Amino acid sequence: MKVGLTGGIGSGKSTICGIFEWLGVPIYNADLQTKSLYLTNHILKSELIETFGEKMYSPNGEINKIEFKSILSDKTLGKRLNELVHPFVFANFENWVSKQTHPYVIKEAAILFESGADATVDTVISVIAPFDVKLKRIKQRDSQRSETEILNIMNLQLSEEELIKRSDYIVYNDSSESVIKQVLALNIELLQKSTHF
Ligand code: ATP
């Protein structure tokens, strides 16, 4: 069974995935895999250059982070980039899934719904945390990021209300309820659910 896990910036996706991983659940980190595909998949690379220009890569083949950032901060261009990349990530994910033996796997993706990847998983978990908690955590974790940059990213992402509406399960990472307890309960539920797949 394929489980998608998403949530806003700083909500605690990676932290929650770390607990699932500790329970033996294989985790596919879509953001990391996408970055790796930008470098290693030659077809994707040439499609990116064809669409957005040579400036996407530096002469030594590294990705031009400033260009990628600028594209992703624009709603229309960001959508175009995600639409182009998504089929490659999907194929890579399916290949990875075919090698797993655990009853269920988790695909961690910051833009699961925005990229349409929710349609490629069987059930979705969203991690939710209050706005000020997310902002504080990101400021502490990424000291090089300005508050404006963090707020811009938050504004591009789905609202908490929308995430709750579109998800099957919610993990509240707001210090009011133990996240470990929530994940342990969810793990039992997902193991049961996976027997139907
Ligand atoms: P991003 O979208 O930027 O990848 P994320 O949703 O994966 O973020 P994490 O990296 O897991 O979020 O968490 C953001 C920061 O908040 C990290 O420094 C993490 O250690 C911290 N954090 C997450 N959950 C908690 C918690 N329950 N208590 C304290 N700190 C937390």
Side-chain angles (χ1 to χ4, degrees):
M1 183 174 74
K2 292 175 259 185
V3 180
L5 186 143
T6 191
I9 180 169
S11 57
K13 296 179 290 297
S14 301
T15 306
I16 304 300
C17 280
I19 307 173
F20 276 109
E21 197 164 28
W22 174 70
L23 292 170
V25 182
I27 310 290
Y28 180 93
N29 184 319
D31 301 339
L32 284 182
Q33 293 299 329
T34 304
K35 280 180 193 147
S36 158
L37 287 169
Y38 285 148
L39 293 174
T40 55
N41 190 302
H42 298 294
I43 304 171
L44 171 61
K45 231 171 149 170
S46 43
E47 283 189 19
L48 280 171
I49 291 172
E50 205 173 294
T51 312
F52 298 102
E54 293 279 354
K55 60 182 187 298
M56 299 302 285
Y57 293 88
S58 64
N60 64 3
E62 293 292 309
I63 60 168
N64 182 342
K65 282 189 190 153
I66 298 171
E67 276 306 320
F68 272 84
K69 254 190 185 173
S70 128
I71 288 173
L72 287 170
S73 62
D74 179 290
K75 226 174 185 161
T76 315
L77 291 178
K79 190 167 176 267
R80 207 151 139 217
L81 175 65
N82 285 323
E83 278 167 3
L84 197 153
V85 168
H86 183 66
F88 292 88
V89 182
F90 177 66
N92 184 265
F93 173 62
E94 287 301 314
N95 180 41
W96 176 83
V97 168
S98 69
K99 294 177 191 147
Q100 307 305 319
T101 53
H102 196 76
Y104 74 92
V105 298
I106 292 182
K107 181 182 201 177
E108 176 192 349
I111 52 161
L112 190 86
F113 291 112
E114 295 90 330
S115 69
D118 57 312
T120 69
V121 292
D122 303 303
T123 193
V124 175
I125 304 170
S126 278
V127 182
I128 302 287
F131 176 84
D132 52 331
V133 173
K134 289 190 287 191
L135 189 60
K136 193 170 153 221
R137 284 180 186 156
I138 292 302
K139 275 181 167 175
Q140 267 170 5
R141 192 194 63 187
D142 306 340
S143 54
Q144 82 289 358
R145 273 183 160 149
S146 69
E147 184 162 326
T148 315
E149 187 187 342
I150 303 168
L151 293 175
N152 281 344
I153 297 172
M154 283 176 151
N155 280 335
L156 282 173
Q157 295 180 328
L158 288 185
S159 67
E160 178 177 318
E161 196 187 11
E162 190 72 13
L163 282 176
I164 294 174
K165 208 162 71 187
R166 295 174 71 170
S167 306
D168 303 291
Y169 305 99
I170 301 291
V171 172
Y172 291 96
N173 186 15
D174 59 358
S175 320
S176 66
E177 218 181 320
S178 156
V179 278
I180 296 180
K181 264 195 196 161
Q182 292 179 70
V183 173
L184 288 176
L186 203 46
N187 180 51
I188 292 171
E189 194 154 339
L190 291 170
L191 283 171
Q192 275 166 0
K193 188 171 182 149
S194 68
T195 58
H196 304 295
F197 281 81

